[in-house]
Amino acid sequence: ADAILVAPASADFLARLTQGRADDLLSAICLASDVPLAMAPAMNTRMWQNAATQQNARTLLARGVLMLGPDEGEQACGETGAGRLQAPEVLLAGLAELFQSGVLSGKTVMVTAGPTREAVDAVRYLSNHSSGKMGFSVAEAAVEAGARVILVCGPVGLSTPDHLQRLNVVTAQEMFDTVMAHIQGVDIFIATAAVADYRPVEVATGKTKKKAERIQLELEPTPDILAEVKARFPRLFCVGFAAETESLDEYAQDKLQRKGVEMIAANWVGPAATDTEGAFGSDTNALRLFWKDGESELPLASKDKLARQLILQIAQLEEMQGQHTIDDDKVVSLPA
Ligand code: C5P
């Protein structure tokens, strides 16, 4: 285990831990372990307020034990006050703080995530299977690493992680405009979004009726957000994603050169994916990372775990390259 959380931690257990007892399994494990310890106190409110318990809690805190709670409110015994077990999500968030690396503290990170939708007519659109999970995991990992995070996302069914700014968009053009409107002050740009590459040239205002046997849809390219960000802000540390069904390494290397970005995170999608679910929508993934003079492999793992590893790699590389926050004097003006 990387940490021990005792939830609920009774008044008796806090006393036993304070004394360093080892006469049952839990106290023995806690005494014999050198991983971080967290307590979620839960007891009758008078037991919590008792001077002995308060003294024990202070002693444990002073020894570096993390105290998560207790919460206040109605208790099982019928009394009201401090002593309730904290909600599981609060415990989880508190525990996660133990692992915050701080490698991106002071940095601002922008992440694009999810698919975009390009309207065909009033009721139809072109899109893809991106769930946004990888991007959300990356954004959360950046928050955990201490960064200020702006998450620009297409239509996804995911709840907003804590402590970040979420900006919702629908089309590639909206994503482009939103990214450009908020890019000042960003240190690291991570493009995980599966942006539609083409959109219909004309969008019917009403619903197109079924008439002809075959119809043709004329498409035009959407703006390449990542390439444009890199072109406008050459000193911004940019990371692109490459989801491929074949020739993963070659396409990733090609993208690294063509878009001029600092790193490409490549993964298989479709039938070739290592994961039977094929990356899109799945909770797991595997990544190959490519940068100018190196590469590394992040084997199949949960997207949360991968995202943390990716953020570490990005932080190391960014530190090595000594990139700086963009400001006006570094902005390259492009011809309109
Ligand atoms: O060129 P390709 O679509 O294969 O490149 C993928 C990378 O570029 C991803 O990081 C994706 O988020 C980004 N991208 C973008 N805007 C587009 C197309 C792709 O930012 N219009």
Side-chain angles (χ1 to χ4, degrees), residues 107-123:
K107 303 276 179 190
T108 299
V109 175
M110 183 184 276
V111 181
T112 65
T116 65
R117 283 181 189 167
E118 312 302 327
V120 173
D121 65 16
V123 296

Side-chain angles (χ1 to χ4, degrees), residues 112-114 172 175-176 189-198 221-228 239-244 251 255 258-259 264-265:
T112 65
M175 187 173 273
F176 179 87
F189 179 69
I190 309 175
T192 73
V195 186
D197 290 323
Y198 293 93
T222 57
D224 187 324
I225 303 164
L226 177 61
E228 193 64 20
V239 181
F241 268 67
E244 306 292 350
Y251 285 144
K255 230 163 268 190
R258 206 161 27 85
K259 303 207 185 205
I264 288 285

Side-chain angles (χ1 to χ4, degrees), residues 18-31:
T18 306
Q19 287 179 4
R21 304 284 293 255
D23 56 354
D24 68 8
L25 186 60
L26 181 58
S27 55
I29 286 174
C30 289
L31 201 65

